[in-house]
Structure formats: C-alpha cells, structure tokens
Amino acid sequence: PELASLRERGRSLRGQLRVLEAEESELEQRFYLGALQLPNRTHPAVPVGDQSQAQLLEVVGEKPVFDFKPKGHLELGEGLDIIRQRRLSHVSGHRSYYLCGAGALLQHALVTFTLQKLLSKGFLPMTVPDLLRGAVFEGCGVQPSAAPSQVYSIDPTRFEDLCLAGSSEVGIAGYFMDHAVQLQDLPVRVVCSSTCYRAETDTGREPWGLYRVHQFTKVEMFGVTAAERGTESEELLDEFLGLQKEIFSELGLHYR
C-alpha cells in the first residue's frame, strides 16, 4: 500500500509539473525579450552623453614629432610588403587583409609578449571555441539577432543556433556560465588569445587600413570576482588597466 501511494503521488507531481512547465515557458517568452532590452549598469564615474562628453584622464609618453609628413600604417606596410589589403575582392572581399613576412611575425611576437606578461602575473591560460550558442552572446550583452548585427550566424539549416565569436570574452563567459565557483578561488584571472570575427559594414566608404576589419587576433584579459564587499569588480578592473598600461609602456608606445 505504501508503494502504491508513493506511485500515485509521483503521478500527481508529474501532472503538476506539466502545468508549471507550460506556465514557465509562456512567462519566459513574454518577459525574456523585454529583459534583453535592459542595459548594463555603467560605472558611476562614466560621463552621461555622447563622445563629446568624454574626459581625458591621463596621457603617457610623448607623441613623436616629425619634420616630415609621416606615412600611415597601411602605406608603410604596403611599401615593406608586409601588409596586403588591396586586390582582394576576388579572394575574401572588403575589410580583409594579409600579413606577410615581418608583419605576420610581428603579430605572433605581440601575442607571445602579452601572454608571457600575463602568465607571469598568475593568469590562467585558456583556448575557447569560436562557435557558440546565442544564449552565451546574450549573457554578454550581445544580441545575435539584432539588425544590423556584428555577429556572424552560421547557416541555421545546417547548424542551429551557432554564431562566430567576436571576442574570446564570449567563450570564457560560456565556460563559467551556469555553474558556481568556490569563493576561496576568486578572483579568477583568465588570458586567452583568439581569432575574433565581426560583421563590420561592407561598404567601401571607410578609410583603408587595419581598422573595422572582419577578422583579427586579440589577447583578452577576463576576470571573475566575488561580490562580498561590492568593490571587487572595480578593483580587478583597475588591476587590468594597470597591466594594459604596463604592456603599452614596455612597448614604448605613447597613449592616452
């Protein structure tokens, strides 16, 4: 009799769950898209307004002054035969490029230099998938279905709900998604070098050069912090900013 009672209770619970799951699905459909419209909170120190409200906080190094008109990076690169961005419409289209010889070696050297710097600071190295599901992008504040979208979506008739990541941030966020991290293990500092894919505008109106290109390599710093005091995230961001400044200064670059 006890077993029969438990079985009957199980059937009753399954019936209740079917009703609740249908209600949950309906509520999610009703509120999820609206929730995606909510913006992320900005730091209190961020000025409100457009680019004209931006504040210059610091200038490091001195901008070089030349007694001649300096060439741009594309003109220099083409002259040295280390960058090719012209005559590629039949190969890869607008906003693409090749790095050759010293250009390719320079990219590898910059990636290696940055990785070694951050590994010496205790960062966890990681490689991530280039293809990720839409929910992971949405968790990072990116809507793959937006129009126009910077995200490349894979043919849905072959691969349902897969997009190319525009930053390793998305892949790292997916790694930490939907599971807990032990408090004593925080903060987690991750470094990842990845290829980034971005569906930038394909018109020919932008200036030539390696800006707003469809594909590039980037080294990413990513952190996961606790929220016990409410200041952990800002403290880690300041640490990352200090590391960025260290990297640029060691490369001998003027920056602001």
Side-chain angles (χ1 to χ4, degrees):
E2 186 180 355
L3 178 59
S5 173
L6 288 171
R7 282 178 168 170
E8 182 59 35
R9 185 180 171 213
R11 280 191 287 270
S12 174
L13 287 172
R14 280 198 297 274
Q16 293 175 49
L17 277 173
R18 275 195 292 270
V19 174
L20 290 170
E21 285 168 353
E23 183 181 348
E24 178 192 30
S25 178
E26 190 272 329
L27 286 170
E28 184 171 347
Q29 289 295 319
R30 192 194 311 171
F31 291 111
Y32 186 71
L33 292 177
L36 289 178
Q37 304 300 318
L38 296 174
N40 290 328
R41 289 181 297 172
T42 56
H43 191 283
V46 175
V48 177
D50 59 16
Q51 187 68 24
S52 65
Q53 303 302 309
Q55 299 173 5
L56 181 60
L57 302 180
E58 185 179 5
V59 177
V60 178
E62 295 185 6
K63 188 174 182 178
V65 177
F66 303 98
D67 58 2
F68 56 88
K69 183 181 178 181
K71 297 179 179 179
H73 72 278
L74 184 60
E75 190 178 359
L76 285 169
E78 289 178 335
L80 294 168
D81 199 23
I82 63 175
I83 299 174
R84 178 182 167 190
Q85 199 175 32
R86 302 180 193 277
R87 306 179 307 281
L88 294 180
S89 60
H90 65 298
V91 177
S92 51
H94 187 57
R95 312 309 302 161
S96 60
Y97 60 96
Y98 282 82
L99 298 177
C100 312
L105 292 176
L106 177 59
Q107 174 174 289
H108 286 297
L110 285 169
V111 169
T112 302
F113 167 78
T114 308
L115 284 173
Q116 289 178 341
K117 158 72 70 176
L118 297 176
L119 290 176
S120 72
K121 303 290 185 181
F123 279 67
L124 171 71
M126 190 178 286
T127 63
V128 297
D130 288 336
L131 287 167
L132 296 150
R133 298 201 177 279
V136 189
F137 288 84
E138 290 170 352
C140 294
V142 178
Q143 296 187 42
S145 59
S149 175
Q150 284 196 325
V151 177
Y152 286 111
S153 297
I154 305 302
D155 182 357
T157 62
R158 296 190 61 207
F159 303 100
E160 185 180 359
D161 189 31
L162 280 177
C163 304
L164 280 168
S167 167
S168 57
E169 168 198 344
V170 185
I172 303 171
Y175 181 86
F176 289 101
M177 183 174 159
D178 296 334
H179 77 263
V181 180
Q182 294 292 330
L183 185 62
Q184 64 265 25
D185 294 333
L186 296 174
V188 181
R189 300 170 180 84
V190 179
V191 58
C192 178
S193 172
S194 73
T195 303
C196 305
Y197 304 92
R198 300 192 183 179
E200 299 286 357
T201 175
D202 59 1
T203 68
R205 290 193 296 271
E206 305 91 344
W208 284 94
L210 306 191
Y211 298 115
R212 298 297 178 194
V213 289
H214 293 305
Q215 174 184 331
F216 58 93
T217 299
K218 176 163 63 70
V219 178
E220 180 99 33
M221 289 188 284
F222 187 101
V224 182
T225 72
E228 303 294 294
R229 304 188 314 276
T231 59
E232 291 93 338
S233 179
E234 183 170 0
E235 289 165 3
L236 192 62
L237 180 62
D238 288 341
E239 178 187 318
F240 284 8
L241 177 61
L243 287 167
Q244 288 178 318
K245 291 165 68 175
E246 205 174 299
I247 290 167
F248 274 80
S249 294
E250 288 185 16
L251 290 170
L253 298 173
H254 152 78
Y255 58 94
R256 64 180 185 178

